[in-house]
């Protein structure tokens, strides 16, 4: 994976406020999402261009299918406690035959006269498409997406529940910096088939090129996100960063603010709280730090509320009346 030149000291995650969000916060976990479910269907989906001979593409496809089949069959064999040398030999043989059959099927389909173009060109296109599909299956990982700023109006609208949600700030420890990868915006989705073949042969730069094409490239229109990514197993995981602050959206309710701040009241490592404010003379957003006291006035315990009401009534009625009440 390509290492970013400059690693930010803090990154942000915009979220809708929900019980799931609160659970992630209090358990100090993060969620690695399935890239196939991203809102942009072109994200993490490069196009493999057939820039090499059919033999080169066939060899690359053979390797990808064999490696995938061996991994799947080994998992199945271990589940039924088959681990001996005969089992391994059988797995290798089945994987090789499956890959060869797939390549023969492509050659047969390419000979169909109904396809427009020369048979060789059709076969190259089919091999490249199958190579693309196998390549994506190889990257069976989850992605934790983080933003570079807390005051982006579009991020608040798209991911922060239209400014009703929250933005979680994470400090980035030095030892975690190597896990961060900066998203590349714009350019081409194309990755040459020859680079895939070079990657499979062990060329480090080719590995970096393919990794970036599959995991880190997005359309230029998404540039406002200033996105950084962490790659890991799909699903919940322990937070690799340090929870530093929580910013409440412009429309976030007082009840949400009070609930979140109360949940972290006794935390050993303190968390700072902010709320987004609008700038009167522009479309920019700014934030103000909260102490928590302002929300205690809005959401006090019932006894505190009753006592406050008595103090308000005291100038209007006698002291005995209040005591009797």
């Amino acid at each position: 994976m390509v290492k970013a030149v400059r690693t930010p000291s803090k990154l942000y995650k915009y979220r809708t406020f929900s019980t799931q969000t609160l659970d992630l916060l209090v358990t100090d976990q993060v969620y690695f999402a399935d890239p196939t479910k991203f809102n942009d269907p072109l994200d993490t989906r490069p196009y493999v261009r057939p820039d090499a001979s059919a033999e080169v593409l066939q060899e690359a496809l053979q390797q990808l299918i064999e490696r995938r089949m061996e991994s799947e069959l080994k998992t199945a064999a271990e589940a039924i406690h088959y681990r001996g040398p005969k089992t391994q030999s059988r797995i290798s043989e089945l994987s090789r035959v499956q890959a060869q059959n797939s390549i023969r099927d492509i050659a047969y389909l390419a000979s169909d006269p109904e396809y427009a173009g020369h048979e060789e060109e059709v076969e190259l296109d089919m091999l490249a498409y199958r190579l693309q599909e196998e390549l994506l299956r190889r990257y069976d990982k989850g992605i934790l997406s983080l933003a570079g700023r807390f005051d982006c109006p579009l991020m608040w609208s798209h991911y922060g529940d239209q400014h009703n949600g929250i933005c979680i700030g994470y400090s980035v420890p030095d030892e975690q910096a190597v896990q961060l990868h900066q998203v590349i915006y714009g350019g081409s989705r194309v990755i040459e088939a020859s680079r895939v073949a070079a990657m499979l042969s062990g060329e480090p730069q080719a590995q970096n090129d393919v990794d970036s094409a599959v995991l880190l490239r997005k359309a230029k229109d998404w540039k406002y996100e200033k996105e950084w990514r962490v790659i890991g197993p799909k699903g919940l995981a322990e937070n690799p960063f340090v929870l530093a602050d929580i910013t409440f959206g412009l429309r976030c309710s007082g009840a949400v603010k009070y609930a979140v701040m109360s949940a972290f009241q006794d935390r050993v490592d303190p968390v700072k709280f902010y709320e987004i404010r609008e700038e009167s003379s522009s479309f920019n957003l700014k934030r103000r730090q909260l102490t928590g006291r302002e929300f205690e006035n809005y959401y006090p315990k019932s006894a505190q509320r009753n006592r406050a009401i008595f103090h308000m009534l005291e100038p209007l009625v006698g002291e005995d009346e209040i005591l009797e009440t």
Side-chain angles (χ1 to χ4, degrees):
M1 189 69 65
V2 178
K3 184 178 179 180
V5 176
R6 296 181 61 185
T7 302
S9 60
K10 187 176 285 188
L11 288 167
Y12 300 90
K13 184 69 176 179
Y14 292 80
R15 289 192 65 95
T16 298
F17 180 77
S18 63
T19 54
Q20 182 185 45
T21 297
L22 188 59
D23 187 57
L24 288 174
L25 285 170
V26 298
T27 59
D28 204 17
Q29 291 183 306
V30 291
Y31 185 77
F32 286 81
D34 183 349
T36 63
K37 295 180 172 59
F38 282 176
N39 51 7
D40 179 6
L42 301 182
D43 193 350
T44 67
R45 189 170 180 85
Y47 167 74
V48 175
R49 181 166 58 197
D51 69 328
S53 66
E55 290 74 16
V56 172
L57 270 65
Q58 288 171 356
E59 176 61 28
L61 183 58
Q62 175 90 20
Q63 291 187 54
L64 284 176
I65 294 177
E66 280 192 40
R67 293 180 186 182
R68 175 177 60 81
M69 289 296 300
E70 284 189 2
S71 176
E72 293 175 356
L73 291 173
K74 282 180 181 178
T75 300
E78 288 177 0
I80 56 175
H81 306 291
Y82 278 31
R83 301 188 181 92
K86 289 185 178 179
T87 298
Q88 179 57 52
S89 177
R90 181 60 175 163
I91 286 174
S92 298
E93 176 65 17
L94 287 173
S95 300
R96 183 180 60 81
V97 171
Q98 180 64 44
Q100 291 175 345
N101 288 341
S102 296
I103 292 171
R104 277 197 293 267
D105 288 344
I106 291 173
Y108 174 76
L109 290 172
S111 65
D112 190 331
E114 291 189 6
Y115 285 108
H118 296 291
E119 181 177 333
E120 293 80 5
E121 294 177 352
V122 173
E123 183 178 6
L124 280 175
D125 288 338
M126 287 185 171
L127 285 168
Y129 181 79
R130 183 62 191 278
L131 192 63
Q132 176 179 308
E133 294 300 307
E134 286 294 331
L135 184 66
L136 294 177
R137 294 176 75 170
R138 181 177 185 268
Y139 286 88
D140 187 24
K141 295 288 186 180
I143 293 177
L144 171 62
S145 299
L146 300 166
R149 51 187 290 207
F150 61 83
D151 55 356
C152 178
L154 286 174
M155 294 292 286
W156 277 109
S157 295
H158 295 163
Y159 303 106
D161 191 20
Q162 300 179 4
H163 297 254
N164 291 291
I166 65 175
C167 180
I168 307 166
Y170 296 111
S171 293
V172 182
D174 291 339
E175 63 269 20
Q176 299 296 341
V178 69
Q179 296 186 15
L180 281 170
H181 310 288
Q182 191 173 24
V183 169
I184 306 165
Y185 297 99
S188 173
R189 285 199 301 132
V190 172
I191 183 71
E192 288 79 10
S194 59
R195 300 307 289 159
V196 177
M199 174 196 71
L200 294 172
S201 66
E203 185 181 319
Q205 186 55 51
Q207 179 74 64
N208 288 337
D209 293 343
V210 176
D211 285 346
S212 295
V214 175
L215 299 171
L216 302 177
R217 190 173 290 279
K218 295 180 70 171
K220 184 173 63 176
D221 305 79
W222 296 101
K223 192 173 182 179
Y224 70 89
E225 293 183 335
K226 299 183 183 298
E227 184 180 350
W228 291 75
R229 289 179 169 177
V230 183
I231 314 301
K234 297 175 186 176
L236 291 172
E238 183 179 349
N239 182 12
F241 305 108
V242 178
L243 178 61
D245 58 63
I246 297 172
T247 302
F248 301 103
L250 193 62
R251 296 171 174 166
C252 191
S253 71
V256 169
K257 297 174 185 178
Y258 181 76
V260 173
M261 294 172 74
S262 298
F264 288 89
Q265 188 173 11
D266 299 324
R267 183 181 170 94
V268 176
D269 298 320
V271 176
K272 293 182 179 180
F273 298 96
Y274 301 88
E275 64 179 4
I276 288 293
R277 294 290 185 90
E278 58 183 303
E279 288 191 356
S280 57
S281 60
S282 71
F283 291 101
N284 296 328
L285 300 176
K286 58 183 179 181
R287 67 179 184 176
R288 181 179 74 91
Q289 188 169 357
L290 302 174
T291 64
R293 294 179 180 177
E294 53 267 71
F295 298 105
E296 291 178 0
N297 295 330
Y298 299 147
Y299 300 96
K301 295 179 181 178
S302 59
Q304 292 175 326
R305 180 170 62 246
N306 291 338
R307 188 158 49 250
I309 293 174
F310 290 159
H311 286 308
M312 292 172 62
L313 294 175
E314 193 171 3
L316 305 178
V317 297
E319 184 177 348
D320 293 340
E321 242 180 311
I322 295 177
L323 291 175
E324 289 174 3
T325 304

